[in-house]
């Protein structure tokens, strides 16, 4: 029993929708605010990134090849982080009890740090003999996307 040909498209849309709901400026702002207000008890933005990275890049941490569906998820996640640092200033406003820009918060810094760590992981594993060629190419392309944005941001 093969899956319907549109399964990959439908799954990709579900993955994208959920990543977009998780990675929003308002959510990131709320996590930072909770961290500053409740320090040790708060689930932090860094906790969110750590949990997402462990889950989304699970195969990479286990030095295993990544299948089609998981590669799509990884691309969606990296692209969402890139999108959050690439949007123009008027869209950077975070509305809560007050307004400020992501450039004036730790959000930009934390996202850039995550992207640098991901790039380092991708570059290292793209040379691994344990991974198939498709996974290596996937990782090389993700690293290039991140590098391009980091170059623009500096």
């Amino acid at each position: 029993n093969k899956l319907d040909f549109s399964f990959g498209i439908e799954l990709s849309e579900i993955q994208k929708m959920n990543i977009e709901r998780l990675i929003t400026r308002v959510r990131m702002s709320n996590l930072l605010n909770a961290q500053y207000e409740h320090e040790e008890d708060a689930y932090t933005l860094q906790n969110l990134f750590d949990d997402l990275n462990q889950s989304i890049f699970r195969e990479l941490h286990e030095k295993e090849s990544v299948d089609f569906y998981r590669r799509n998820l990884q691309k969606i996640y990296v692209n969402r982080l890139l999108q959050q640092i690439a949007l123009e200033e008027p869209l950077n406003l975070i509305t809560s009890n007050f307004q400020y820009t992501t450039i004036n918060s730790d959000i930009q810094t934390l996202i850039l740090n995550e992207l640098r760590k991901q790039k380092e992981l991708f570059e290292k594993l793209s040379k691994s003999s344990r991974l198939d060629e498709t996974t290596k190419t996937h990782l090389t392309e993700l690293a290039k996307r991140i590098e391009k944005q980091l170059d623009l941001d500096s």
Side-chain angles (χ1 to χ4, degrees), residues 28 38 47 62 65 73 88 96-97 106-107 135 139:
M28 291 186 286
H38 305 289
N47 293 144
E62 297 170 3
S65 293
L73 175 62
E88 294 298 319
S96 183
N97 296 335
D106 289 335
I107 292 172
T135 298
L139 296 176

Side-chain angles (χ1 to χ4, degrees), residues 23-29 80 82-96 98-105 107-108 111:
I23 307 295
T24 66
R25 292 193 173 122
V26 171
R27 183 176 317 281
M28 291 186 286
S29 174
R80 183 64 176 176
L82 290 170
Q83 180 184 49
Q84 294 304 302
I85 60 169
L87 290 175
E88 294 298 319
E89 189 58 29
L91 297 176
N92 282 352
L93 287 178
I94 301 171
T95 10
S96 183
F98 50 91
Q99 289 188 342
Y100 61 100
T101 63
T102 57
I103 291 171
N104 294 332
S105 77
I107 292 172
Q108 189 95 349
I111 293 173

